[in-house]
Amino acid sequence: MAQRIFVLDTTLRDGEQTPGVSLTPEKKLDIARALDELGVDVIEAGSAITSEGERKGIKLIANEGLDAEVLSFARLLKQDIDLALDCDVDGIFLVAPTSDLHIKYKLSSTREKVLKSVEELVGYCRQHGLTVDLCCEDGSRTSPEFLERVLKVAEKAKADRFTLADTVGALTPGRMSDLMKPLAKKAKIPLGVHCHDDLGMATANTVAAVRSGARTVDVTVNGLGERAGNASLEEVVMALKTVYGYQLNVKTERLFKLSDLVERITGIPVPPNKAIVGENAFTHEAGIHVDGILKKPGTYELLKPESVGARRRFVLGKHVGMKSVKKMLEELDFKVNESQLTEVFNQVKYIGDKGKRVTNVDLEAIANQVLGIEQERHIKLEELVTTAGNKFTPTASVKMRINGSEVVESSTGTGPVDAAINAIRKATRDVPFELLEYHVDAISGGSDAVVKIMVKLKSKDKIITSQGTGTDIVLASVDAMVNGLNSIMARMKK
Ligand code: MN
């Protein structure tokens, strides 16, 4: 039977320490619920000492009846623990600085005093019925002898777990093993590991720690965290599970959704090339790859997209192959012969060569033209007026021509773009669609930049991507929407 590994998620504590991120208590609860549904074993919900709002969030999470154990961060101070107790948490992530650097310069203290505090405060937590994860801050730059002394003191005081933190991301997998293995030999309580990504090795170091005896991994969704971030939950989980076959409680098919939720709530975008949860993690453009994948997905995919709740995507660009174009045309219900396919393929390559991405609305336009199909514009925008400013509720009104008849609608929104899209939704209420994604890219630098808007719409089981460009973000957004809706309506007519 493979070893069971426990996941401690610290998105709500270390992750929230990402520069620019601050979450309301309600948003923290939303993320905690999603983490619990995913199946993490422990949630570090925040640091009770931080603020009134933080305590409110921790308390909400602690009283939500989650399966996960809920912890608060605390320093080696009674007041931190007392405030955590007020929040009804199950336990404390008790952080003891252990490197000489931290003890001398940060605490102006001594090793002996730190050991005494560990003994006292672990005991204090236990007296109050709290579980304790004793974490050695800057543990990776602490002498192995002292680490062992801290471990023994923590064990004697009845800590539940002993965690080694690579607080500044200083380790490599080899160095991690050198530190962890002797500790694992001596330890009578389970070991945990907490890694940062300053050298881009947080995931590798976390996996190395597990291979050397750690049983609990501290991670954050999307690798959020201070500076370069923490070890990422999705990477660590998938590596442990698929490479080594460890047992985890995580429902991996929920990873993509959770990443998305955290991205939206924190406002920290996931890079497209991010492992596991990036937009491109399961996207293929190059012809050779697409051909291989259509024959057998394993040729160019390590993981099955559905195993993490993602979808495989083929995109069109200059590296595209004939087979992808053929497959995408079939998905769009076009029947083409050999020479028409070649013509469409050549045009896609031509656009791709200019550095442009080819959406499926573009592909449709090319195919219609090659097949000599008159493209009917079912929806046309005739007028658009928006108002926005600090004294107005953003409002938009649109005059549209839909299948020949004039429709006028208006709506409010969180900003002018949202208001305009809401007005279009109202005007096209008979067209079934869902807006799945909305992306803005500024193509050039200044405030007069050309923006490119990409929208992804879903209608019944079809996904349509379309784009709009221009210097006016509202107009470009509306264009993208109208282009996509035209494609949906054309399909309804078929
Ligand atoms: Mn940390």
Side-chain angles (χ1 to χ4, degrees), residues 191-207:
L191 298 179
V193 69
H194 178 109
C195 294
H196 279 269
D197 209 30
D198 297 69
L199 290 171
M201 284 191 272
T203 295
N205 291 340
T206 303
V207 172

Side-chain angles (χ1 to χ4, degrees), residues 281-333:
F282 298 97
T283 300
H284 310 276
E285 178 183 313
I288 302 164
H289 289 212
V290 172
D291 182 44
I293 281 183
L294 290 175
K295 287 173 181 151
K296 190 166 176 59
T299 51
Y300 287 102
E301 274 175 358
L302 176 70
L303 307 170
K304 289 195 176 78
E306 53 285 8
S307 71
V308 297
R311 284 171 62 135
R312 178 181 303 131
R313 226 160 42 104
F314 297 119
V315 298
L316 301 174
K318 77 169 180 182
H319 305 103
V320 78
M322 189 72 95
K323 290 201 171 131
S324 314
V325 175
K326 190 166 177 229
K327 187 164 169 17
M328 289 178 90
L329 285 171
E330 278 165 12
E331 277 171 9
L332 292 168
D333 299 323

Side-chain angles (χ1 to χ4, degrees), residues 10 13-14 17 93 165-167 194-196 226-227 230:
T10 182
R13 199 276 296 172
D14 223 337
Q17 286 170 225
F93 191 75
D166 185 16
T167 303
H194 178 109
C195 294
H196 279 269
E226 292 198 80
R227 307 182 312 278
N230 288 56

